[in-house]
Amino acid sequence: MVEFAPLDYFWTVAYLILMIGCGAVFYRLGKRSGADFFLAGRGLPWWIPGTSNFATHTATDTPMWFSGLVYSKGLYGVWYSLFAGWCAISAWVSTRIFRRSLAGTQAEWQTLRFSGLGAELLRGWMAGWQVALSMFVAGWVGIAMGNVCEYLFNWPLWYGLVIFSTLCCAYVIAAGYWGVIIADVQQGITMFIVIILVSVWAAMAVGGPTQIVEALREMGQSEMLNPFRTSGFVDGDYPLLWLITMIIVPFLGGFGMATHFDWFVEAQRIQSAKNVRDASYSIWWGTAAVLFRNAVWALAVLAIFVITRGELSAEQAQLAWFKVGFDYFPVGMVGFFFAAILAIHISSIGSILNLGSMYATRDLYHHYINPKATEKKVVWVGRLMTLVVLVGSFFFGIMIGKDIVEWLFFALWLMVAGTWLPNILQVIWWRFNAWGYLSAWIANLGVCWLVVWILPSFGIIPDFPDYIQFWLLILLVAAVYIPITFLTKPDDMDKLVKVYVQTRPIGFWGPVKREAERRGLLQARDKIVMVAEKQIKEE
């Protein structure tokens, strides 16, 4: 338990007032329309959604799982954070394609890319999936805050889960995405400064980076400094196949959409940017900031490893970075550090609540239930759905408890493994149709639970490492969606031509391109693009 002085409480209370104040300040903008409540009117310059990307992907659980990995594996554990690498490719490929589509959500994209009943079923499936996933993500971020508060104040886990997520929900309900995105900017700047401050403080406590290296060598742990060590192709603690997987999956995944569970958050930022160029810059900047953050964190965790002589348990190691601020900061700075942790927590919770509400409102309520709803009604339902996602997150958070890292990797890799290739195919291959994509999602959801949890528990198959499970799921799900794709008709050519002309996808679109040329649509599009690019340069 950490003791707070009056100055520490001041920083904490002042920050909470500032955050809730964002809801009051931007309430007027958020209530104007559904586009404002969910996308801030689609007029943001690149640095605002870019900073928000960084803030959202720096959640309370992030330093926990990252600290646990680096503490146990050294710099080799940094490879786990390469999932952010998909953004580097996406910024120049799928980000541009998606922004040109003008689809408000990834679910809406399904009815633009595909046609017929299959497209409508896909939109409903994707929307329902994202609402449930938003509850799940908000739950694991919330329970991570519960773990921090248990360590800090000796509270029961559910206190930290409920209290701060509920306070965050207040300004999200009031101002919607306007409140989320503007709060994210100051949260991102605050946490960026504090992350550097705490990490440098930890390094200095040991004597600096050089002393960390020397201490690790004296402890016989110099291999922790080698991020490229391997122990065989599939054997040992550091298999080469795992390393290959961690490189291939994110970088090739950048050519597709929804190849990673974070894509849904990125998609909202992409569509809130004022144009294609700003959307691309925002994704690139968010990625660069995340990778820099992880490098700084790694330095701090290695310092903690030296200080504790590597004797922390796996559960204690998850709190390694937090321990620096709480154990080494002077009175007054501890509260400032805790306020920064609240910024880390609230930025992610706010984004996820608004995101889940957007799918529930735009793609389920407005599209299927009440297409004629007024903008005022859409905003009202959006606020109600924000509350529903919050309550759902509490149930998931209690279910996750202290198994944050285990649940994280299941959601991060395995629950999207079978759809990884289909998510790329929907962008690069014209013949991949709605029925193939829908069958991939349904098959993956069932097969991943069988391969990861159910069959190993009954001894039917071995409990494979996660990187083998990933490739196994890709093969098993492909055995479902590839035959279905070829046994069903292609999507409507008129729809394919429209999406090709509007979004300019890459890859294998030969028949569609020839049809668009025959209709004279590509020539007309090129003239429009030239005019638009000229206007952007003049700005």
Side-chain angles (χ1 to χ4, degrees), residues 256-260 416 419-427 437 441:
M257 298 181 190
T259 52
H260 185 268
V416 295
T419 61
W420 175 75
L421 184 55
N423 289 329
I424 299 173
L425 292 177
Q426 66 166 322
V427 175
Y437 194 35
W441 273 96

Side-chain angles (χ1 to χ4, degrees), residues 438-457:
L438 181 61
S439 65
W441 273 96
I442 296 173
N444 180 74
L445 191 61
V447 172
C448 72
W449 283 89
L450 286 172
V451 170
V452 178
W453 303 105
I454 299 174
L455 296 182
S457 66

Side-chain angles (χ1 to χ4, degrees), residues 324-337:
V324 177
F326 293 139
D327 294 353
Y328 292 92
F329 271 13
V331 172
M333 284 296 294
V334 172
F336 185 78
F337 178 54

Side-chain angles (χ1 to χ4, degrees), residues 235-400:
D235 301 322
D237 295 330
Y238 309 103
L240 181 59
L241 180 59
W242 180 88
L243 188 58
I244 293 172
T245 302
M246 299 299 284
I247 294 173
I248 288 178
V249 168
F251 283 100
L252 289 184
F255 288 93
M257 298 181 190
T259 52
H260 185 268
F261 83 102
D262 276 342
W263 165 265
F264 299 94
V265 176
E266 309 288 355
Q268 188 178 19
R269 272 97 190 123
I270 290 168
Q271 290 297 1
S272 69
K274 63 181 180 180
N275 53 44
V276 174
R277 182 190 61 180
D278 283 75
S280 298
Y281 288 177
S282 72
I283 298 300
W284 182 260
W285 154 240
T287 305
V290 166
L291 295 178
F292 177 81
R293 175 206 71 190
N294 290 350
V296 174
W297 265 346
L299 176 67
V301 177
L302 290 178
I304 290 294
F305 184 90
V306 171
I307 292 171
T308 61
R309 311 302 294 178
E311 295 177 355
L312 294 181
S313 66
E315 185 176 316
Q316 292 171 329
Q318 292 184 41
L319 295 170
W321 184 77
F322 294 106
K323 286 174 66 65
V324 177
F326 293 139
D327 294 353
Y328 292 92
F329 271 13
V331 172
M333 284 296 294
V334 172
F336 185 78
F337 178 54
F338 183 63
I341 293 174
L342 289 178
I344 290 173
H345 175 72
I346 290 176
S347 66
S348 296
I349 291 294
S351 295
I352 297 302
L353 292 180
N354 185 254
L355 181 71
S357 172
M358 179 168 67
Y359 280 86
T361 304
R362 287 179 59 109
D363 296 299
L364 294 179
Y365 172 76
H366 199 193
H367 184 67
Y368 291 109
I369 299 174
N370 189 4
K372 297 182 180 180
T374 63
E375 293 295 330
K376 183 177 180 180
K377 184 74 170 181
V378 169
V379 172
W380 184 89
V381 173
R383 288 174 172 151
L384 177 62
M385 290 299 104
T386 303
L387 185 61
V388 170
V389 174
L390 174 72
V391 174
S393 74
F394 295 156
F395 290 99
F396 278 110
I398 293 170
M399 177 184 70
I400 293 169

Side-chain angles (χ1 to χ4, degrees), residues 171-194:
Y171 82 78
V172 178
I173 286 178
Y177 188 70
W178 270 113
V180 169
I181 199 78
I182 299 301
D184 270 0
V185 171
Q186 71 84 20
Q187 288 162 346
I189 294 171
T190 300
M191 66 180 68
F192 195 81
I193 293 172
V194 170

